[in-house]
Amino acid sequence: MLLGQELLLAPIASADPMPTCSRHQGCHLHPLPVPGAGPNHLASSAGAISSYALELNLKNSKNATCLYAKWRMNFTIDYETTSKSNKTVTISDLGNATYNGSICGDDQNGPKIEVQFGSVFSWTVNFTKEKSTYLIESISFSYDTNDSTTFPDAKKKGIFTVHEPVAFRIPLNDIFRCNSMLTAEKKDVIQHYWDVHVQAFVQNGTVSTKEFLCDKDKTSTTVVPVTPTTLPSPTTTPAQKEKPEIGSYSVNNTNGTCLLATMGLQLNMTQDKVVTVINIKPNTTDFTGSCHSQTALLRLNSSNIKYLDFVFAVKNENRFYLKEVNVSMYLVNGSVFSIANNNLSYWDAPLGSSYMCNKEQTVSVSGAFQINTFYLRVQPFNVIEGKYSTAQECSLDDDTILIPIIVGAGLSGLIIVIVIAYLIGRRKSYAGYQTL
Ligand SMILES: *[C@@H]1O[C@H](CO)[C@@H](O)[C@H](O)[C@H]1NC(C)=O
Ligand SMILES: *[C@@H]1O[C@H](CO)[C@@H](O)[C@H](O)[C@H]1NC(C)=O
Ligand SMILES: *[C@@H]1O[C@H](CO)[C@@H](O)[C@H](O)[C@H]1NC(C)=O
Ligand SMILES: *[C@@H]1O[C@H](CO)[C@@H](O)[C@H](O)[C@H]1NC(C)=O
Ligand SMILES: *[C@@H]1O[C@H](CO)[C@@H](O)[C@H](O)[C@H]1NC(C)=O
Ligand SMILES: *[C@@H]1O[C@H](CO)[C@@H](O)[C@H](O)[C@H]1NC(C)=O
Ligand SMILES: *[C@@H]1O[C@H](CO)[C@@H](O)[C@H](O)[C@H]1NC(C)=O
Ligand SMILES: *[C@@H]1O[C@H](CO)[C@@H](O)[C@H](O)[C@H]1NC(C)=O
Ligand SMILES: *[C@@H]1O[C@H](CO)[C@@H](O)[C@H](O)[C@H]1NC(C)=O
Ligand SMILES: *[C@@H]1O[C@H](CO)[C@@H](O)[C@H](O)[C@H]1NC(C)=O
Ligand SMILES: *[C@@H]1O[C@H](CO)[C@@H](O)[C@H](O)[C@H]1NC(C)=O
Ligand SMILES: *[C@@H]1O[C@H](CO)[C@@H](O)[C@H](O)[C@H]1NC(C)=O
């Protein structure tokens, strides 16, 4: 939609030796002083997503976040050896990265992120502000072939730097997201970036949850979702969000399977008027739980869900229901969103049976969080031999039977149909749902 957002980091000039300045030799070893702004503070945010290789929450002198980024990257470098053969160095473990030199920016200098891994590699990205947008301007990557441990027998020794003009233009106060792989390839260096979230010029110290997607993510969400962490952009999510895949979850105790659940789950979060809808992907979601005589727990978690608990309880010694939902999610801006409600009353059915609802149903946990379920079937108690018992079906599903009949029968048949529906409704229990 916006201009200037090219998909790839277009390669330009080939790697040049850069003999002047290196981290190795002590250049830019400390954050640059920001005139009139005091020192910058680096902090990794609380509850950080450990699965992000790199995460930076850069704060200004007032201790307010000015720049936030989490991302993954790796590099492959080819070099020539003294024996005229070629060797390849790959860098993918960036666990010990430091961020010295990263700055919030001021009137003279734009913000930048500087990353060092070991003394051999350094990486920089800089940003500029425009009227209503900001620009991820360019990326530089340097490596030092003087290091004979990393680059044994390198023929050309020196510091080599590759520059990539990026020119991603992002609306101010939006967080840029690109889960898809971005690749920059040159003669000697291949750079990969993915799972990128970055916001420069953060306003009022609050990192946005409003995402601005790279083009690759836009197409990947409408065609094939490529990554488990794919979150839809509030601005681009169409109303007809695709249905979630159906997952099968179970909990075992010493006697075997004690809880069964089969369902498609869609989470709907609202924060600062921004709605985020997330489909749970069963094959990248883990589940655990526990079973007791009066309560049962099913807990899901994934890369962006810290935990999602469904707590079931028994009432009047003859029925079960969903009593509590307790959820904690990682937001794109590095914060954690948590909500619990232990006073719910959903999915009510007799003990010894299962609860079933094929139609979309909504569990409203709070004004800001609801769960849409699809093709739901649960049995949190009295599971025998790992199989569902007779299903008690939700009233929504009854409509699917009634509506075509009503339409077909027309007005004249309506009274008869209502009588039949009433009789069906009274019988309520349906036998024989062993598969969906
Ligand atoms: C980089 O910063 C870390 C702490 O953030 C510090 O321990 C280290 O000495 C710094 N490295 C250099 C080369 O200044
Ligand atoms: C970089 O990461 C991508 C995606 O995870 C992977 O396919 C590739 O093999 C990695 N390359 C290196 C050099 O580790
Ligand atoms: C960003 O970095 C590139 C490459 O190092 C440089 O040419 C450009 O002037 C920098 N821009 C700003 C605003 O510092
Ligand atoms: C930041 O704060 C100012 C003044 O309080 C307000 O006018 C502005 O809308 C805020 N910006 C954002 C993005 O919240
Ligand atoms: C992330 O976004 C939420 C909701 O807009 C906000 O409450 C929170 O302060 C933000 N986190 C950061 C680190 O700015
Ligand atoms: C396992 O089954 C036995 C016999 O039905 C029962 O007494 C026991 O409480 C069960 N154990 C658990 C953990 O449910
Ligand atoms: C539970 O036990 C059944 C066999 O009783 C086994 O097939 C299944 O994999 C177990 N599930 C879990 C989550 O451990
Ligand atoms: C998500 O929740 C909002 C606010 O409750 C609601 O307006 C919207 O229709 C919901 N979307 C979905 C897909 O459930
Ligand atoms: C998850 O499921 C999708 C389609 O159902 C499949 O394409 C993908 O490879 C699966 N991913 C994993 C990690 O199993
Ligand atoms: C779920 O949580 C467990 C334990 O905290 C963790 O080991 C696992 O990696 C998580 N699963 C996913 C898909 O993130
Ligand atoms: C939600 O779960 C967390 C973590 O297990 C727990 O600390 C918290 O007390 C729970 N909240 C409610 C209302 O149950
Ligand atoms: C629980 O919900 C019921 C009805 O939904 C309400 O009457 C009751 O006050 C609620 N209790 C609490 C502790 O919120």
Side-chain angles (χ1 to χ4, degrees):
M1 281 188 286
L2 286 189
L3 305 169
Q5 204 204 349
E6 293 298 328
L7 207 59
L8 291 177
L9 307 165
I12 45 160
S14 59
D16 298 318
M18 191 186 73
T20 46
C21 174
S22 78
R23 208 144 313 285
H24 205 52
Q25 296 157 341
C27 250
H28 290 205
L29 283 181
H30 302 282
L32 297 175
V34 178
N40 295 298
H41 304 282
L42 301 180
S44 37
S45 57
I49 303 175
S50 54
S51 59
Y52 276 87
L54 297 135
E55 184 169 19
L56 174 66
N57 185 352
L58 193 59
K59 299 192 173 186
N60 63 19
S61 55
K62 298 185 186 101
N63 206 28
T65 299
C66 64
L67 192 160
Y68 176 76
K70 57 183 178 185
W71 74 104
R72 297 171 194 273
M73 58 185 178
N74 66 24
F75 305 89
T76 306
I77 304 161
D78 282 337
Y79 70 96
E80 202 184 335
T81 63
T82 45
S83 55
K84 296 235 174 220
S85 65
N86 278 336
K87 278 195 172 161
T88 301
V89 173
T90 61
I91 313 149
S92 52
D93 177 17
L94 307 177
N96 296 323
T98 56
Y99 301 89
N100 305 8
S102 302
I103 54 168
C104 285
D106 56 36
D107 294 343
Q108 283 85 46
N109 304 294
K112 65 178 168 181
I113 301 173
E114 290 205 11
V115 184
Q116 306 84 39
F117 8 109
S119 56
V120 179
F121 305 102
S122 71
W123 183 91
T124 303
V125 57
N126 60 8
F127 304 85
T128 47
K129 191 173 180 175
E130 297 173 330
K131 207 168 175 188
S132 60
T133 55
Y134 64 97
L135 205 62
I136 304 178
E137 194 177 297
S138 79
I139 289 175
S140 300
F141 173 67
S142 299
Y143 55 100
D144 186 352
T145 57
N146 288 308
D147 187 285
S148 54
T149 320
T150 315
F151 295 98
D153 310 320
K155 188 177 163 200
K156 284 191 242 166
K157 301 216 184 253
I159 294 167
F160 295 85
T161 300
V162 288
H163 295 288
E164 301 290 344
V166 183
F168 281 166
R169 191 167 270 107
I170 302 148
L172 278 177
N173 206 34
D174 278 12
I175 186 165
F176 173 77
R177 180 199 89 188
C178 201
N179 289 137
S180 308
M181 179 77 68
L182 299 174
T183 305
E185 204 168 331
K186 297 196 168 172
K187 205 169 116 248
D188 297 327
V189 180
I190 302 171
Q191 309 179 39
H192 289 301
Y193 300 92
W194 71 104
D195 280 2
V196 177
H197 283 88
V198 59
Q199 185 184 3
F201 306 101
V202 170
Q203 292 177 32
N204 302 344
T206 305
V207 182
S208 183
T209 51
K210 187 157 171 267
E211 297 183 321
F212 182 80
L213 308 191
C214 63
D215 290 346
K216 267 191 173 176
D217 275 17
K218 279 180 201 156
T219 52
S220 70
T221 49
T222 53
V223 185
V224 187
V226 273
T227 62
T229 54
T230 296
L231 297 176
S233 156
T235 50
T236 56
T237 305
Q240 72 279 22
K241 165 108 190 160
E242 60 195 274
K243 284 189 183 178
E245 280 171 48
I246 299 162
S248 291
Y249 310 101
S250 62
V251 177
N252 286 358
N253 63 12
T254 49
N255 284 354
T257 302
C258 59
L259 179 153
L260 286 170
T262 308
M263 54 199 174
L265 293 170
Q266 186 176 69
L267 311 182
N268 181 348
M269 259 193 308
T270 310
Q271 310 144 284
D272 300 337
K273 295 181 185 149
V274 177
V275 175
T276 309
V277 178
I278 299 162
N279 285 347
I280 291 189
K281 297 222 185 335
N283 63 1
T284 55
T285 302
D286 286 344
F287 54 92
T288 57
S290 58
C291 300
H292 306 282
S293 63
Q294 298 295 305
T295 63
L297 165 73
L298 173 65
R299 165 171 289 191
L300 309 187
N301 75 309
S302 67
S303 59
N304 52 351
I305 301 169
K306 196 173 171 191
Y307 53 83
L308 170 58
D309 288 356
F310 295 92
V311 180
F312 300 88
V314 172
K315 68 177 175 188
N316 304 329
E317 293 179 5
N318 61 6
R319 297 185 76 83
F320 69 82
Y321 68 107
L322 176 67
K323 182 180 189 300
E324 176 176 347
V325 168
N326 186 352
V327 67
S328 193
M329 314 243 312
Y330 301 112
L331 300 181
V332 293
N333 70 0
S335 293
V336 171
F337 169 93
S338 300
I339 261 176
N341 186 337
N342 63 2
N343 192 29
L344 301 173
S345 188
Y346 290 98
W347 308 351
D348 186 315
L351 279 178
S353 66
S354 59
Y355 176 86
M356 177 162 164
C357 200
N358 288 320
K359 275 276 190 70
E360 175 174 357
Q361 205 185 21
T362 298
V363 172
S364 182
V365 180
S366 79
F369 184 77
Q370 63 187 51
I371 303 171
N372 302 323
T373 61
F374 300 80
Y375 300 103
L376 170 73
R377 192 165 185 188
V378 285
Q379 185 165 349
F381 299 99
N382 306 75
V383 173
I384 298 165
E385 290 174 347
K387 291 195 177 116
Y388 283 111
S389 308
T390 311
Q392 157 104 41
E393 207 167 348
C394 64
S395 55
L396 288 170
D397 284 359
D398 289 350
D399 295 346
T400 59
I401 303 164
L402 285 180
I403 288 166
I405 300 174
I406 291 170
V407 170
L411 261 182
S412 60
L414 189 57
I415 291 164
I416 297 165
V417 170
I418 288 170
V419 170
I420 292 169
Y422 176 71
L423 293 176
I424 291 172
R426 284 189 54 126
R427 275 196 289 144
K428 205 58 189 156
S429 272
Y430 297 82
Y433 288 104
Q434 290 307 330
T435 53
L436 288 182

